Coordinates of all heavy atoms in Angstrom, one line a residue:
G39 N 18.8 9.6 44.9 CA 18.4 10.0 46.3 C 17.7 11.3 46.2 O 16.7 11.5 46.9
F40 N 18.2 12.2 45.4 CA 17.5 13.5 45.2 C 16.1 13.4 44.7 O 15.1 14.0 45.2 CB 18.3 14.4 44.3 CG 17.7 15.7 43.9 CD1 17.6 16.8 44.9 CD2 17.1 15.9 42.7 CE1 17.0 18.0 44.5 CE2 16.5 17.1 42.4 CZ 16.4 18.1 43.3
L41 N 15.9 12.5 43.7 CA 14.6 12.3 43.1 C 13.6 11.7 44.1 O 12.4 12.0 44.0 CB 14.7 11.3 41.9 CG 15.5 11.8 40.7 CD1 15.7 10.7 39.6 CD2 14.8 13.0 40.1
Q42 N 14.1 11.0 45.1 CA 13.2 10.3 46.0 C 12.5 11.4 46.9 O 11.4 11.1 47.5 CB 14.0 9.4 46.9 CG 14.4 8.1 46.2 CD 13.3 7.3 45.6 OE1 12.7 7.6 44.6 NE2 13.0 6.3 46.3
F43 N 13.0 12.5 47.1 CA 12.4 13.5 47.9 C 11.5 14.5 47.2 O 11.0 15.4 47.8 CB 13.5 14.3 48.7 CG 14.1 13.4 49.7 CD1 15.4 12.9 49.5 CD2 13.5 13.1 50.9 CE1 16.0 12.1 50.4 CE2 14.1 12.3 51.9 CZ 15.3 11.8 51.6
M44 N 11.3 14.3 45.9 CA 10.4 15.1 45.1 C 9.0 14.6 45.2 O 8.7 13.4 44.8 CB 10.9 15.2 43.6 CG 12.3 15.8 43.5 SD 12.8 15.8 41.7 CE 11.7 16.9 41.0
D45 N 8.1 15.4 45.8 CA 6.7 14.9 46.0 C 6.1 14.5 44.7 O 5.3 13.6 44.6 CB 5.9 16.0 46.6 CG 6.3 16.2 48.1 OD1 6.9 15.3 48.7 OD2 6.0 17.3 48.7
R46 N 6.4 15.2 43.6 CA 5.8 15.0 42.3 C 6.1 13.5 41.9 O 5.2 12.9 41.3 CB 6.4 15.9 41.3 CG 5.8 15.9 39.9 CD 6.3 17.0 39.1 NE 5.8 16.8 37.7 CZ 6.3 17.5 36.7 NH1 7.2 18.4 36.9 NH2 5.8 17.3 35.5
I47 N 7.2 13.0 42.2 CA 7.6 11.6 41.8 C 7.1 10.7 42.9 O 6.4 9.7 42.6 CB 9.1 11.5 41.6 CG1 9.6 12.3 40.4 CG2 9.5 10.0 41.5 CD1 11.1 12.3 40.3
R48 N 7.3 11.0 44.1 CA 7.0 10.0 45.2 C 5.5 9.8 45.4 O 5.0 8.7 45.6 CB 7.6 10.5 46.5 CG 7.6 9.5 47.6 CD 8.3 10.0 48.9 NE 7.5 11.0 49.6 CZ 7.8 12.3 49.6 NH1 8.9 12.7 49.0 NH2 7.1 13.2 50.2
L49 N 4.7 10.9 45.3 CA 3.3 10.8 45.7 C 2.4 10.6 44.4 O 1.4 9.9 44.5 CB 2.8 12.1 46.4 CG 3.6 12.4 47.7 CD1 3.1 13.7 48.3 CD2 3.3 11.2 48.7
K50 N 2.8 11.2 43.3 CA 1.9 11.1 42.1 C 2.2 9.8 41.3 O 1.4 9.4 40.5 CB 2.1 12.3 41.2 CG 1.5 13.6 41.9 CD 1.5 14.8 41.0 CE 0.9 16.0 41.7 NZ 0.9 17.2 40.9
N51 N 3.4 9.3 41.5 CA 3.7 8.0 40.8 C 4.2 7.0 41.8 O 5.4 6.7 42.0 CB 4.8 8.3 39.8 CG 4.4 9.2 38.7 OD1 3.3 9.1 38.1 ND2 5.2 10.3 38.5
P52 N 3.3 6.4 42.6 CA 3.7 5.5 43.7 C 4.5 4.3 43.3 O 5.3 3.8 44.1 CB 2.4 5.1 44.4 CG 1.3 5.5 43.4 CD 1.9 6.5 42.5
K53 N 4.4 3.9 42.1 CA 5.2 2.7 41.6 C 6.7 3.1 41.3 O 7.5 2.3 41.3 CB 4.6 2.1 40.4 CG 3.2 1.4 40.8 CD 2.6 0.7 39.6 CE 1.3 0.1 39.9 NZ 0.7 -0.6 38.8
V54 N 6.9 4.4 41.0 CA 8.2 4.8 40.6 C 9.1 4.9 41.9 O 10.3 4.6 41.8 CB 8.1 6.2 39.9 CG1 9.5 6.8 39.7 CG2 7.4 6.1 38.6
H55 N 8.6 5.3 43.0 CA 9.4 5.5 44.2 C 10.1 4.3 44.6 O 11.3 4.3 44.9 CB 8.5 6.0 45.4 CG 9.2 6.2 46.6 ND1 10.1 7.3 46.9 CD2 9.2 5.5 47.8 CE1 10.6 7.2 48.1 NE2 10.0 6.1 48.7
P56 N 9.4 3.1 44.7 CA 10.2 1.9 45.1 C 11.2 1.5 44.1 O 12.3 1.0 44.5 CB 9.1 0.8 45.3 CG 7.8 1.5 45.3 CD 8.0 2.8 44.7
F57 N 10.9 1.7 42.8 CA 11.9 1.3 41.8 C 13.1 2.2 41.9 O 14.3 1.7 41.9 CB 11.2 1.5 40.4 CG 12.1 1.2 39.3 CD1 12.5 -0.1 38.9 CD2 12.7 2.2 38.5 CE1 13.4 -0.4 37.9 CE2 13.5 1.9 37.4 CZ 13.9 0.6 37.1
V58 N 13.0 3.5 41.9 CA 14.1 4.4 42.1 C 14.8 4.2 43.4 O 16.0 4.2 43.5 CB 13.6 5.9 41.9 CG1 14.8 6.8 42.1 CG2 13.1 6.1 40.5
G59 N 14.1 3.8 44.4 CA 14.7 3.5 45.7 C 15.6 2.3 45.7 O 16.6 2.3 46.3
R60 N 15.2 1.3 44.9 CA 16.1 0.1 44.8 C 17.3 0.5 44.1 O 18.4 0.0 44.4 CB 15.3 -1.0 44.1 CG 14.3 -1.6 45.0 CD 13.6 -2.8 44.3 NE 12.4 -3.3 45.1 CZ 11.2 -2.9 44.9 NH1 10.8 -2.1 43.9 NH2 10.2 -3.4 45.7
I61 N 17.2 1.3 43.1 CA 18.4 1.8 42.3 C 19.3 2.5 43.3 O 20.6 2.3 43.3 CB 18.1 2.7 41.1 CG1 17.3 1.8 40.1 CG2 19.3 3.3 40.5 CD1 16.7 2.6 39.0
Y62 N 18.7 3.4 44.1 CA 19.5 4.1 45.1 C 20.2 3.2 46.1 O 21.4 3.3 46.3 CB 18.6 5.1 45.9 CG 19.3 5.7 47.1 CD1 20.1 6.8 46.9 CD2 19.1 5.3 48.4 CE1 20.8 7.4 47.9 CE2 19.8 5.9 49.4 CZ 20.6 6.9 49.2 OH 21.3 7.5 50.3
V63 N 19.5 2.2 46.6 CA 20.1 1.3 47.6 C 21.2 0.5 47.0 O 22.3 0.4 47.6 CB 19.0 0.4 48.2 CG1 19.6 -0.7 49.0 CG2 18.1 1.2 49.1
V64 N 21.0 0.0 45.8 CA 22.1 -0.8 45.2 C 23.3 0.0 44.9 O 24.4 -0.4 45.1 CB 21.5 -1.5 43.9 CG1 22.7 -2.0 43.0 CG2 20.5 -2.6 44.2
S65 N 23.1 1.3 44.4 CA 24.2 2.1 44.1 C 25.0 2.5 45.4 O 26.2 2.6 45.4 CB 23.8 3.3 43.3 OG 22.9 4.1 44.0
V66 N 24.2 2.8 46.5 CA 24.9 3.1 47.7 C 25.7 1.9 48.2 O 26.9 2.1 48.6 CB 23.9 3.5 48.8 CG1 24.5 3.5 50.2 CG2 23.3 4.9 48.5
F67 N 25.2 0.7 48.1 CA 25.9 -0.4 48.6 C 27.2 -0.7 47.8 O 28.2 -1.0 48.3 CB 25.0 -1.7 48.7 CG 24.1 -1.7 49.9 CD1 22.8 -2.1 49.7 CD2 24.5 -1.2 51.1 CE1 21.9 -2.1 50.8 CE2 23.7 -1.2 52.2 CZ 22.4 -1.6 52.0
I68 N 27.1 -0.6 46.5 CA 28.2 -0.8 45.6 C 29.3 0.3 45.9 O 30.4 0.0 46.1 CB 27.8 -0.8 44.1 CG1 27.0 -2.0 43.8 CG2 29.1 -0.8 43.3 CD1 26.4 -2.0 42.5
S69 N 28.8 1.6 45.9 CA 29.7 2.7 46.1 C 30.4 2.6 47.5 O 31.5 2.9 47.7 CB 29.0 4.0 46.0 OG 29.9 5.1 46.1
G70 N 29.6 2.3 48.5 CA 30.1 2.2 49.9 C 31.1 1.1 50.1 O 32.1 1.3 50.7
I71 N 30.8 -0.1 49.5 CA 31.8 -1.2 49.5 C 33.1 -0.8 48.8 O 34.2 -1.1 49.3 CB 31.2 -2.5 49.0 CG1 30.1 -2.9 50.0 CG2 32.2 -3.6 48.8 CD1 29.2 -4.0 49.5
L72 N 32.9 -0.2 47.7 CA 34.1 0.3 46.9 C 34.9 1.4 47.7 O 36.1 1.4 47.7 CB 33.8 0.8 45.6 CG 33.3 -0.2 44.6 CD1 32.7 0.5 43.3 CD2 34.4 -1.1 44.2
A73 N 34.2 2.2 48.5 CA 34.8 3.2 49.4 C 35.7 2.5 50.4 O 36.7 3.0 50.8 CB 33.8 4.1 50.0
L74 N 35.2 1.4 50.9 CA 36.0 0.6 51.9 C 37.3 0.2 51.3 O 38.4 0.1 52.0 CB 35.2 -0.6 52.4 CG 33.9 -0.3 53.2 CD1 33.2 -1.6 53.6 CD2 34.2 0.6 54.4
A75 N 37.3 -0.1 50.0 CA 38.6 -0.5 49.3 C 39.4 0.7 49.0 O 40.7 0.6 49.1 CB 38.2 -1.2 48.0
V76 N 38.8 1.8 48.7 CA 39.5 3.1 48.4 C 40.4 3.5 49.7 O 41.5 4.0 49.5 CB 38.6 4.2 48.0 CG1 39.3 5.5 47.9 CG2 38.0 3.9 46.6
V77 N 39.8 3.2 50.8 CA 40.5 3.6 52.1 C 41.9 3.1 52.1 O 42.8 3.8 52.6 CB 39.7 3.1 53.3 CG1 40.5 3.3 54.6 CG2 38.4 3.9 53.4
F78 N 42.2 1.9 51.6 CA 43.5 1.3 51.7 C 44.5 2.0 50.8 O 45.7 1.8 51.0 CB 43.4 -0.2 51.3 CG 42.7 -1.0 52.3 CD1 41.4 -1.5 52.0 CD2 43.3 -1.3 53.5 CE1 40.7 -2.3 52.9 CE2 42.6 -2.1 54.4 CZ 41.3 -2.6 54.2
Y79 N 44.1 2.9 49.9 CA 45.0 3.6 49.0 C 45.2 5.0 49.6 O 46.0 5.8 49.0 CB 44.4 3.7 47.6 CG 44.4 2.3 46.9 CD1 43.2 1.6 46.9 CD2 45.5 1.8 46.3 CE1 43.2 0.4 46.2 CE2 45.5 0.6 45.7 CZ 44.3 -0.1 45.6 OH 44.3 -1.3 45.0
I80 N 44.5 5.4 50.6 CA 44.7 6.8 51.2 C 45.9 6.7 52.2 O 45.9 6.0 53.2 CB 43.4 7.3 51.9 CG1 42.3 7.3 50.9 CG2 43.7 8.6 52.5 CD1 40.9 7.6 51.5
E81 N 46.9 7.5 51.9 CA 48.1 7.5 52.7 C 48.0 8.3 54.0 O 48.6 8.0 55.0 CB 49.3 8.0 51.9 CG 49.7 7.0 50.8 CD 50.9 7.5 50.0 OE1 51.5 8.6 50.3 OE2 51.2 6.9 49.0
N82 N 47.2 9.3 54.0 CA 47.0 10.2 55.2 C 46.0 9.5 56.1 O 44.9 9.2 55.8 CB 46.5 11.6 54.7 CG 46.3 12.5 55.9 OD1 45.6 12.2 56.8 ND2 47.0 13.6 55.8
F83 N 46.5 9.2 57.4 CA 45.6 8.5 58.3 C 44.3 9.2 58.6 O 43.3 8.6 58.7 CB 46.4 8.2 59.6 CG 45.6 7.5 60.7 CD1 45.3 6.2 60.6 CD2 45.1 8.2 61.7 CE1 44.6 5.5 61.5 CE2 44.3 7.6 62.7 CZ 44.1 6.2 62.6
T84 N 44.4 10.5 58.8 CA 43.2 11.3 59.1 C 42.2 11.3 58.0 O 41.0 11.1 58.2 CB 43.6 12.8 59.4 OG1 44.6 12.8 60.5 CG2 42.4 13.6 59.9
K85 N 42.7 11.4 56.8 CA 41.8 11.4 55.6 C 41.2 10.0 55.5 O 40.0 9.8 55.1 CB 42.5 11.8 54.3 CG 42.8 13.3 54.3 CD 43.5 13.6 53.0 CE 43.9 15.0 52.9 NZ 44.7 15.4 51.7
A86 N 42.0 9.0 55.7 CA 41.5 7.6 55.6 C 40.4 7.3 56.6 O 39.4 6.7 56.3 CB 42.7 6.6 55.7
T87 N 40.7 7.8 57.8 CA 39.7 7.6 58.9 C 38.4 8.3 58.6 O 37.3 7.7 58.8 CB 40.3 8.0 60.3 OG1 41.5 7.4 60.5 CG2 39.3 7.8 61.4
A88 N 38.5 9.5 58.1 CA 37.3 10.3 57.8 C 36.5 9.6 56.7 O 35.3 9.4 56.7 CB 37.6 11.7 57.4
F89 N 37.2 9.2 55.6 CA 36.6 8.5 54.5 C 35.9 7.2 54.9 O 34.8 6.8 54.5 CB 37.6 8.3 53.4 CG 37.0 8.0 52.0 CD1 36.5 9.0 51.3 CD2 37.0 6.7 51.5 CE1 35.9 8.8 50.0 CE2 36.5 6.5 50.2 CZ 36.0 7.5 49.5
L90 N 36.6 6.4 55.8 CA 36.1 5.2 56.3 C 34.8 5.4 57.1 O 33.8 4.7 57.0 CB 37.2 4.4 57.1 CG 36.7 3.1 57.8 CD1 36.4 2.1 56.7 CD2 37.8 2.6 58.7
T91 N 34.9 6.4 58.0 CA 33.7 6.7 58.8 C 32.5 7.1 57.9 O 31.4 6.6 58.2 CB 34.1 7.9 59.8 OG1 35.2 7.5 60.6 CG2 32.9 8.2 60.7
L92 N 32.7 7.9 56.9 CA 31.6 8.3 56.0 C 31.1 7.1 55.3 O 29.9 6.9 55.2 CB 32.1 9.4 55.0 CG 32.3 10.7 55.6 CD1 33.0 11.6 54.6 CD2 31.0 11.3 56.1
A93 N 31.9 6.2 54.8 CA 31.5 5.0 54.1 C 30.6 4.1 55.0 O 29.6 3.7 54.6 CB 32.7 4.3 53.6
I94 N 31.1 3.9 56.2 CA 30.4 3.0 57.1 C 29.0 3.6 57.5 O 28.0 3.0 57.5 CB 31.2 2.7 58.4 CG1 32.4 1.8 58.0 CG2 30.4 2.1 59.5 CD1 33.4 1.6 59.1
L95 N 29.0 4.9 57.8 CA 27.8 5.6 58.1 C 26.8 5.6 57.0 O 25.6 5.4 57.1 CB 28.0 7.0 58.6 CG 28.6 7.2 59.9 CD1 29.0 8.7 60.2 CD2 27.7 6.7 61.0
W96 N 27.3 5.8 55.7 CA 26.4 5.7 54.6 C 25.8 4.3 54.4 O 24.6 4.2 54.1 CB 27.2 6.2 53.3 CG 26.4 6.6 52.2 CD1 25.1 7.1 52.2 CD2 26.8 6.7 50.8 NE1 24.7 7.4 50.9 CE2 25.7 7.2 50.1 CE3 28.0 6.3 50.1 CZ2 25.8 7.4 48.7 CZ3 28.0 6.5 48.8 CH2 26.9 7.0 48.1

Side-chain angles (χ1 to χ4, degrees):
F40 173 76
L41 293 175
Q42 292 297 79
F43 291 103
M44 296 178 68
D45 288 340
R46 185 173 174 191
I47 293 172
R48 192 178 71 253
L49 300 176
K50 293 185 179 182
N51 299 309
K53 291 182 181 181
V54 173
H55 178 74
F57 177 74
V58 175
R60 286 182 188 100
I61 295 171
Y62 172 78
V63 169
V64 168
S65 61
V66 167
F67 285 138
I68 294 170
S69 183
I71 290 168
L72 290 170
L74 297 176
V76 169
V77 168
F78 292 105
Y79 293 99
I80 301 173
E81 293 180 5
N82 181 301
F83 178 76
T84 304
K85 289 179 183 178
T87 304
F89 199 75
L90 177 64
T91 302
L92 287 172
I94 290 170
L95 287 172
W96 199 23

